[in-house]
Amino acid sequence: MLVVSRKPGERLLIGESVEVTVLSVRGDQVSLGVSAPREVPIHRQELLERIRRENQRAATLRADELAAMGATLRARQGSIPVVTCGISAAPSDASAASSSSNGAG
Amino acid sequence: MTPTAASSVDTCTVVSFASNAAPEAPTSDAPRILESRRFGRLEVSADQVLTLSAGLLGFEELREFCVVAPEALQPLTFLVSCDDPGVAFPVLPARMCLADYAPTIPPDAREAVQAEPGQALEILAICAVAQDTLTLHANLRGPVLINPARRLGYQVVLHDSPYSLRHLLGAD
């Protein structure tokens, strides 16, 4: 691991397109500013880890848990509006139709 | 203790995607047969396969899924891995978990599912059961964005979001 000491206001470049700026240091908290192209995802590691754990929990469902799931859903079904379940192609969203383009070309 | 009949998932349907995209070359391939201990024998045709090219977090190697809808567990459906049918993720439409769910989807996620500008997409929440209380939760912090027209999916990580990783689905 490369270890670099930086002061607030100083920057670090990763490759040609990712720039990390130390904004401030207060006690044990460091504020970093990251600018990167939008195709580069920037994640807090602990959130990724928590979602990974949730996925693992969801994938290892036991039969009794499955039964509990069914029971909860049946109890809910009376009280919530039932949205179309499963996957169906949604009709194209026409809400952003402020300008009409008449096919030129 | 009486055995619960609900644990036997007998009637399962593999969900087809109502594709409104230009018809692709007709798929003459024979359907893929998946043997799942939980769902039995599943016949999955090519146009029923959902591709998550980045996988799901922790399951990055599993890219192809089909959507299975067991009748007994309606409205719950399952994303079943085509590569490892033993791996199945229970999902619900996120709006069914929280009626006014409206997360800000980052542009890279829309790009990942090749969404057209303004195209409406499906958002699914992966559900899990708490082992101690047997309560059902939905993950609204890491929803799965689906473009049904292209049969592409992507798990979105929502930073700085008010939505819960374990949204309790109570019976009210």
Side-chain angles (χ1 to χ4, degrees):
Chain A
M1 186 191 286
L2 173 71
V3 179
V4 187
S5 293
R6 300 272 70 191
K7 294 192 174 75
E10 291 183 336
R11 292 167 193 223
L12 200 62
L13 291 171
I14 300 170
E16 291 183 356
S17 55
V18 179
E19 193 177 276
V20 181
T21 311
V22 181
L23 299 175
S24 68
V25 181
R26 273 189 223 102
D28 61 357
Q29 186 128 357
V30 182
S31 287
L32 301 174
V34 183
S35 19
R38 66 179 190 170
E39 67 270 17
V40 176
I42 300 161
H43 297 301
R44 291 181 184 81
Q45 187 268 338
E46 66 274 14
L47 181 57
L48 286 191
E49 195 47 51
R50 285 167 70 199
I51 292 178
R52 190 172 290 133
R53 276 205 301 273
E54 285 304 302
N55 283 351
Q56 264 146 6
R57 238 158 49 89
T60 53
L61 215 61
R62 301 191 314 260
D64 61 325
E65 295 175 329
L66 207 59
M69 242 182 197
T72 306
L73 289 167
R74 277 188 295 280
R76 266 173 72 86
Q77 264 185 311
S79 62
I80 57 159
V82 175
V83 189
T84 328
C85 69
I87 291 174
S88 58
S92 56
D93 189 5
S95 62
S98 55
S99 65
S100 62
S101 58
N102 296 325
Chain B
M1 271 258 185
T2 47
T4 42
S7 60
S8 68
V9 180
D10 41 9
T11 318
C12 289
T13 317
V14 179
V15 175
S16 289
F17 295 88
S19 176
N20 54 8
E24 295 164 32
T27 45
S28 54
D29 301 343
R32 228 192 293 189
I33 306 296
L34 307 181
E35 292 287 350
S36 155
R37 200 164 47 85
R38 179 155 290 156
F39 304 110
R41 186 174 185 273
L42 302 171
E43 278 191 27
V44 184
S45 59
D47 59 2
Q48 290 175 319
V49 174
L50 176 74
T51 303
L52 278 70
S53 51
L56 292 165
L57 288 168
F59 297 85
E60 287 82 359
E61 70 285 5
L62 303 177
R63 306 278 169 85
E64 294 191 324
F65 293 85
C66 62
V67 183
V68 175
E71 208 167 275
L73 291 175
Q74 242 186 346
L76 204 70
T77 55
F78 289 77
L79 294 182
V80 178
S81 164
C82 295
D83 308 301
D84 181 358
V87 178
F89 299 89
V91 290
L92 280 176
R95 285 271 175 83
M96 199 185 280
C97 307
L98 187 64
D100 58 356
Y101 184 66
T104 306
I105 302 295
D108 65 288
R110 288 187 65 90
E111 278 168 25
V113 297
Q114 297 177 15
E116 305 289 339
Q119 184 189 350
L121 301 170
E122 294 269 342
I123 304 180
L124 301 178
I126 298 180
C127 299
V129 173
Q131 264 144 27
D132 43 358
T133 55
L134 291 187
T135 46
L136 184 58
H137 298 84
N139 180 356
L140 298 180
R141 200 66 185 274
V144 180
L145 191 68
I146 306 275
N147 181 349
R150 295 203 171 264
R151 302 195 311 274
L152 293 175
Y154 181 76
Q155 186 165 32
V156 185
V157 177
L158 298 173
H159 292 284
D160 304 318
S161 163
Y163 298 115
S164 170
L165 198 69
R166 288 187 185 179
H167 176 81
L168 180 66
L169 299 177
D172 291 341

